[in-house]
């Protein structure tokens, strides 16, 4: 598999990045974009619903959420309700699964492995679970996966709890489960740098999915970006 391009965004509204993903999927399908792209980002606090729904798993009132300034967004990804917010590292891989000769189950497993390897590099031992998808530390969930595939091209992706405020998860049943959530910081008992987490996740993607990653911006997608983080060089 060739090198993929990676776009790193600052804290950006979920809806804005959702629209970006859909544009990139269209570009990938039309051939305007000739390779895969990974978006790394953090979002302001937001709850997102999957194809299985999830509004019934909100355990606080709609009025309370409005007071907190948190929106609830319906999406087309698989799964149930989840939360995104600062301190959570989110990756959206726009990958042509047909070209990569990768099935959906293998793709989801690889996304879980990206989180496991990222956590391992940070000092946290985690595992996947064939029944309840995502990444776990003991019985606590630390990473989630939810994707959609459009004519063979993936979007949506993974969310890894590096250092978020877990209070937001107490207002829902995450992924429709009565489950406790954890973070890398909580497991290690110390501060964890989001910059370090981003770099380790980029390395994991470069190793597991691609022959390295190259940094780009939205304006450079058809240009010649520089090598990122030493991956594949």
């Amino acid at each position: 598999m060739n090198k993929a391009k990676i776009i790193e965004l600052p804290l950006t509204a979920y809806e804005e990045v959702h629209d970006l993903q859909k544009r990139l999927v269209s570009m990938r399908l039309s051939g305007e974009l000739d390779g895969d792209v990974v978006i790394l980002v953090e979002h302001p606090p937001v709850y997102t619903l999957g194809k299985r729904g999830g509004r019934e798993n909100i355990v606080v009132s709609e009025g309370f959420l409005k007071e907190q300034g948190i929106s609830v967004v319906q999406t087309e990804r698989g799964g149930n309700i989840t939360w995104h917010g600062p301190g959570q590292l989110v990756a959206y891989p726009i990958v042509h699964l047909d070209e990569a000769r990768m099935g959906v189950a293998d793709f989801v497993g690889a996304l879980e492995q990206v989180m496991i390897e990222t956590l391992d590099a940070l000092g946290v031992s985690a595992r996947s679970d064939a029944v309840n998808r995502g990444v776990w530390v003991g019985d606590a969930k630390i990473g989630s996966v939810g994707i959609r595939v459009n004519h063979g091209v993936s979007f949506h992706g993974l969310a890894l709890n590096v250092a978020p405020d877990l209070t937001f998860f107490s207002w829902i049943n995450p992924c429709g489960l009565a489950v406790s959530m954890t973070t890398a910081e909580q497991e290690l008992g110390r501060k964890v740098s989001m910059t370090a987490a981003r770099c380790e996740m980029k390395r994991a993607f470069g190793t597991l999915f691609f022959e390295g990653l190259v940094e780009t911006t939205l304006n450079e997608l058809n240009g010649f970006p520089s090598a990122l983080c030493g991956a594949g060089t």
Side-chain angles (χ1 to χ4, degrees), residues 211-233:
E211 296 174 354
L213 295 171
V214 289
E215 184 178 16
T216 191
T217 67
L218 295 178
N219 292 329
E220 293 176 330
L221 278 178
N222 295 315
F224 302 92
S226 58
L228 174 67
C229 215
T233 60

PDB file of all heavy atoms in Angstrom, residues 211-233:
ATOM      1  N   GLU A 211       2.517   2.552   3.862  1.00  0.00           N
ATOM      2  CA  GLU A 211       3.978   2.588   3.822  1.00  0.00           C
ATOM      3  C   GLU A 211       4.444   3.966   4.270  1.00  0.00           C
ATOM      4  O   GLU A 211       5.180   4.659   3.590  1.00  0.00           O
ATOM      5  CB  GLU A 211       4.465   2.273   2.407  1.00  0.00           C
ATOM      6  CG  GLU A 211       4.102   0.864   1.946  1.00  0.00           C
ATOM      7  CD  GLU A 211       4.449   0.620   0.497  1.00  0.00           C
ATOM      8  OE1 GLU A 211       4.877   1.574  -0.189  1.00  0.00           O
ATOM      9  OE2 GLU A 211       4.301  -0.524   0.055  1.00  0.00           O
ATOM     10  N   GLY A 212       3.960   4.368   5.446  1.00  0.00           N
ATOM     11  CA  GLY A 212       4.282   5.684   5.981  1.00  0.00           C
ATOM     12  C   GLY A 212       3.176   6.689   5.703  1.00  0.00           C
ATOM     13  O   GLY A 212       2.211   6.419   4.993  1.00  0.00           O
ATOM     14  N   LEU A 213       3.321   7.855   6.306  1.00  0.00           N
ATOM     15  CA  LEU A 213       2.368   8.949   6.141  1.00  0.00           C
ATOM     16  C   LEU A 213       3.115  10.206   5.727  1.00  0.00           C
ATOM     17  O   LEU A 213       4.271  10.411   6.110  1.00  0.00           O
ATOM     18  CB  LEU A 213       1.638   9.234   7.461  1.00  0.00           C
ATOM     19  CG  LEU A 213       0.723   8.144   8.019  1.00  0.00           C
ATOM     20  CD1 LEU A 213       0.282   8.518   9.424  1.00  0.00           C
ATOM     21  CD2 LEU A 213      -0.478   7.934   7.118  1.00  0.00           C
ATOM     22  N   VAL A 214       2.445  11.056   4.975  1.00  0.00           N
ATOM     23  CA  VAL A 214       3.012  12.355   4.634  1.00  0.00           C
ATOM     24  C   VAL A 214       2.040  13.442   5.060  1.00  0.00           C
ATOM     25  O   VAL A 214       0.817  13.308   4.919  1.00  0.00           O
ATOM     26  CB  VAL A 214       3.331  12.482   3.126  1.00  0.00           C
ATOM     27  CG1 VAL A 214       4.521  11.625   2.760  1.00  0.00           C
ATOM     28  CG2 VAL A 214       2.133  12.126   2.274  1.00  0.00           C
ATOM     29  N   GLU A 215       2.564  14.486   5.633  1.00  0.00           N
ATOM     30  CA  GLU A 215       1.755  15.586   6.127  1.00  0.00           C
ATOM     31  C   GLU A 215       1.249  16.434   4.972  1.00  0.00           C
ATOM     32  O   GLU A 215       1.961  16.677   4.001  1.00  0.00           O
ATOM     33  CB  GLU A 215       2.604  16.442   7.059  1.00  0.00           C
ATOM     34  CG  GLU A 215       1.872  17.580   7.724  1.00  0.00           C
ATOM     35  CD  GLU A 215       2.769  18.360   8.661  1.00  0.00           C
ATOM     36  OE1 GLU A 215       3.999  18.219   8.564  1.00  0.00           O
ATOM     37  OE2 GLU A 215       2.223  19.123   9.472  1.00  0.00           O
ATOM     38  N   THR A 216       0.019  16.880   5.079  1.00  0.00           N
ATOM     39  CA  THR A 216      -0.535  17.761   4.069  1.00  0.00           C
ATOM     40  C   THR A 216      -1.552  18.695   4.722  1.00  0.00           C
ATOM     41  O   THR A 216      -1.839  18.584   5.907  1.00  0.00           O
ATOM     42  CB  THR A 216      -1.189  16.963   2.920  1.00  0.00           C
ATOM     43  OG1 THR A 216      -1.498  17.838   1.847  1.00  0.00           O
ATOM     44  CG2 THR A 216      -2.459  16.258   3.387  1.00  0.00           C
ATOM     45  N   THR A 217      -2.059  19.610   3.940  1.00  0.00           N
ATOM     46  CA  THR A 217      -3.155  20.481   4.362  1.00  0.00           C
ATOM     47  C   THR A 217      -4.267  20.334   3.339  1.00  0.00           C
ATOM     48  O   THR A 217      -4.083  19.731   2.271  1.00  0.00           O
ATOM     49  CB  THR A 217      -2.713  21.948   4.434  1.00  0.00           C
ATOM     50  OG1 THR A 217      -2.421  22.408   3.095  1.00  0.00           O
ATOM     51  CG2 THR A 217      -1.480  22.119   5.316  1.00  0.00           C
ATOM     52  N   LEU A 218      -5.399  20.925   3.631  1.00  0.00           N
ATOM     53  CA  LEU A 218      -6.515  20.848   2.682  1.00  0.00           C
ATOM     54  C   LEU A 218      -6.153  21.474   1.350  1.00  0.00           C
ATOM     55  O   LEU A 218      -6.635  21.043   0.298  1.00  0.00           O
ATOM     56  CB  LEU A 218      -7.751  21.526   3.275  1.00  0.00           C
ATOM     57  CG  LEU A 218      -8.334  20.853   4.518  1.00  0.00           C
ATOM     58  CD1 LEU A 218      -9.529  21.647   5.027  1.00  0.00           C
ATOM     59  CD2 LEU A 218      -8.733  19.419   4.228  1.00  0.00           C
ATOM     60  N   ASN A 219      -5.295  22.485   1.368  1.00  0.00           N
ATOM     61  CA  ASN A 219      -4.908  23.159   0.132  1.00  0.00           C
ATOM     62  C   ASN A 219      -3.817  22.427  -0.627  1.00  0.00           C
ATOM     63  O   ASN A 219      -3.507  22.763  -1.765  1.00  0.00           O
ATOM     64  CB  ASN A 219      -4.433  24.581   0.436  1.00  0.00           C
ATOM     65  CG  ASN A 219      -5.552  25.477   0.921  1.00  0.00           C
ATOM     66  OD1 ASN A 219      -6.698  25.302   0.536  1.00  0.00           O
ATOM     67  ND2 ASN A 219      -5.221  26.431   1.777  1.00  0.00           N
ATOM     68  N   GLU A 220      -3.221  21.413  -0.002  1.00  0.00           N
ATOM     69  CA  GLU A 220      -2.089  20.712  -0.607  1.00  0.00           C
ATOM     70  C   GLU A 220      -2.409  19.279  -1.002  1.00  0.00           C
ATOM     71  O   GLU A 220      -1.504  18.507  -1.301  1.00  0.00           O
ATOM     72  CB  GLU A 220      -0.908  20.679   0.375  1.00  0.00           C
ATOM     73  CG  GLU A 220      -0.285  22.024   0.669  1.00  0.00           C
ATOM     74  CD  GLU A 220       0.823  21.919   1.718  1.00  0.00           C
ATOM     75  OE1 GLU A 220       0.727  21.024   2.576  1.00  0.00           O
ATOM     76  OE2 GLU A 220       1.758  22.718   1.663  1.00  0.00           O
ATOM     77  N   LEU A 221      -3.659  18.920  -1.017  1.00  0.00           N
ATOM     78  CA  LEU A 221      -3.992  17.517  -1.229  1.00  0.00           C
ATOM     79  C   LEU A 221      -3.438  16.970  -2.542  1.00  0.00           C
ATOM     80  O   LEU A 221      -3.166  15.787  -2.662  1.00  0.00           O
ATOM     81  CB  LEU A 221      -5.510  17.324  -1.175  1.00  0.00           C
ATOM     82  CG  LEU A 221      -6.103  17.207   0.222  1.00  0.00           C
ATOM     83  CD1 LEU A 221      -7.606  17.065   0.146  1.00  0.00           C
ATOM     84  CD2 LEU A 221      -5.499  16.058   0.988  1.00  0.00           C
ATOM     85  N   ASN A 222      -3.274  17.819  -3.519  1.00  0.00           N
ATOM     86  CA  ASN A 222      -2.709  17.363  -4.787  1.00  0.00           C
ATOM     87  C   ASN A 222      -1.269  17.819  -4.961  1.00  0.00           C
ATOM     88  O   ASN A 222      -0.721  17.760  -6.054  1.00  0.00           O
ATOM     89  CB  ASN A 222      -3.564  17.862  -5.958  1.00  0.00           C
ATOM     90  CG  ASN A 222      -4.949  17.249  -5.945  1.00  0.00           C
ATOM     91  OD1 ASN A 222      -5.090  16.055  -5.738  1.00  0.00           O
ATOM     92  ND2 ASN A 222      -5.974  18.066  -6.153  1.00  0.00           N
ATOM     93  N   GLY A 223      -0.651  18.293  -3.862  1.00  0.00           N
ATOM     94  CA  GLY A 223       0.723  18.771  -3.923  1.00  0.00           C
ATOM     95  C   GLY A 223       1.709  17.713  -3.468  1.00  0.00           C
ATOM     96  O   GLY A 223       1.472  16.518  -3.555  1.00  0.00           O
ATOM     97  N   PHE A 224       2.841  18.182  -2.951  1.00  0.00           N
ATOM     98  CA  PHE A 224       3.923  17.306  -2.555  1.00  0.00           C
ATOM     99  C   PHE A 224       4.357  17.640  -1.137  1.00  0.00           C
ATOM    100  O   PHE A 224       5.366  18.295  -0.914  1.00  0.00           O
ATOM    101  CB  PHE A 224       5.117  17.437  -3.516  1.00  0.00           C
ATOM    102  CG  PHE A 224       4.752  17.138  -4.930  1.00  0.00           C
ATOM    103  CD1 PHE A 224       4.355  18.149  -5.785  1.00  0.00           C
ATOM    104  CD2 PHE A 224       4.790  15.841  -5.384  1.00  0.00           C
ATOM    105  CE1 PHE A 224       4.008  17.882  -7.090  1.00  0.00           C
ATOM    106  CE2 PHE A 224       4.451  15.548  -6.706  1.00  0.00           C
ATOM    107  CZ  PHE A 224       4.043  16.571  -7.550  1.00  0.00           C
ATOM    108  N   PRO A 225       3.539  17.189  -0.134  1.00  0.00           N
ATOM    109  CA  PRO A 225       3.834  17.526   1.250  1.00  0.00           C
ATOM    110  C   PRO A 225       5.095  16.835   1.758  1.00  0.00           C
ATOM    111  O   PRO A 225       5.569  15.873   1.186  1.00  0.00           O
ATOM    112  CB  PRO A 225       2.608  17.022   1.995  1.00  0.00           C
ATOM    113  CG  PRO A 225       2.097  15.923   1.149  1.00  0.00           C
ATOM    114  CD  PRO A 225       2.377  16.337  -0.273  1.00  0.00           C
ATOM    115  N   SER A 226       5.595  17.328   2.896  1.00  0.00           N
ATOM    116  CA  SER A 226       6.834  16.801   3.463  1.00  0.00           C
ATOM    117  C   SER A 226       6.554  15.591   4.338  1.00  0.00           C
ATOM    118  O   SER A 226       5.448  15.376   4.809  1.00  0.00           O
ATOM    119  CB  SER A 226       7.502  17.878   4.322  1.00  0.00           C
ATOM    120  OG  SER A 226       6.630  18.302   5.337  1.00  0.00           O
ATOM    121  N   ALA A 227       7.586  14.770   4.580  1.00  0.00           N
ATOM    122  CA  ALA A 227       7.432  13.583   5.416  1.00  0.00           C
ATOM    123  C   ALA A 227       7.120  13.985   6.841  1.00  0.00           C
ATOM    124  O   ALA A 227       7.599  14.997   7.348  1.00  0.00           O
ATOM    125  CB  ALA A 227       8.715  12.763   5.369  1.00  0.00           C
ATOM    126  N   LEU A 228       6.283  13.198   7.496  1.00  0.00           N
ATOM    127  CA  LEU A 228       5.812  13.512   8.844  1.00  0.00           C
ATOM    128  C   LEU A 228       6.334  12.501   9.852  1.00  0.00           C
ATOM    129  O   LEU A 228       6.218  11.305   9.650  1.00  0.00           O
ATOM    130  CB  LEU A 228       4.282  13.509   8.863  1.00  0.00           C
ATOM    131  CG  LEU A 228       3.631  13.671  10.229  1.00  0.00           C
ATOM    132  CD1 LEU A 228       3.912  15.062  10.775  1.00  0.00           C
ATOM    133  CD2 LEU A 228       2.156  13.430  10.155  1.00  0.00           C
ATOM    134  N   CYS A 229       6.905  12.988  10.922  1.00  0.00           N
ATOM    135  CA  CYS A 229       7.173  12.174  12.100  1.00  0.00           C
ATOM    136  C   CYS A 229       8.092  10.997  11.800  1.00  0.00           C
ATOM    137  O   CYS A 229       8.123  10.021  12.522  1.00  0.00           O
ATOM    138  CB  CYS A 229       5.863  11.665  12.675  1.00  0.00           C
ATOM    139  SG  CYS A 229       5.824  11.543  14.471  1.00  0.00           S
ATOM    140  N   GLY A 230       8.821  11.031  10.690  1.00  0.00           N
ATOM    141  CA  GLY A 230       9.751   9.973  10.380  1.00  0.00           C
ATOM    142  C   GLY A 230       9.108   8.709   9.832  1.00  0.00           C
ATOM    143  O   GLY A 230       9.789   7.729   9.551  1.00  0.00           O
ATOM    144  N   ALA A 231       7.787   8.674   9.720  1.00  0.00           N
ATOM    145  CA  ALA A 231       7.113   7.461   9.277  1.00  0.00           C
ATOM    146  C   ALA A 231       7.417   7.181   7.818  1.00  0.00           C
ATOM    147  O   ALA A 231       7.263   8.029   6.961  1.00  0.00           O
ATOM    148  CB  ALA A 231       5.584   7.581   9.481  1.00  0.00           C
ATOM    149  N   GLY A 232       7.874   5.960   7.565  1.00  0.00           N
ATOM    150  CA  GLY A 232       8.117   5.531   6.197  1.00  0.00           C
ATOM    151  C   GLY A 232       9.316   6.178   5.542  1.00  0.00           C
ATOM    152  O   GLY A 232       9.496   6.087   4.336  1.00  0.00           O
ATOM    153  N   THR A 233      10.163   6.875   6.314  1.00  0.00           N
ATOM    154  CA  THR A 233      11.333   7.489   5.717  1.00  0.00           C
ATOM    155  C   THR A 233      12.584   6.783   6.159  1.00  0.00           C
ATOM    156  O   THR A 233      12.562   5.973   7.059  1.00  0.00           O
ATOM    157  CB  THR A 233      11.424   8.965   6.146  1.00  0.00           C
ATOM    158  OG1 THR A 233      11.534   9.036   7.571  1.00  0.00           O
ATOM    159  CG2 THR A 233      10.206   9.729   5.687  1.00  0.00           C
TER     160      THR A 233
END
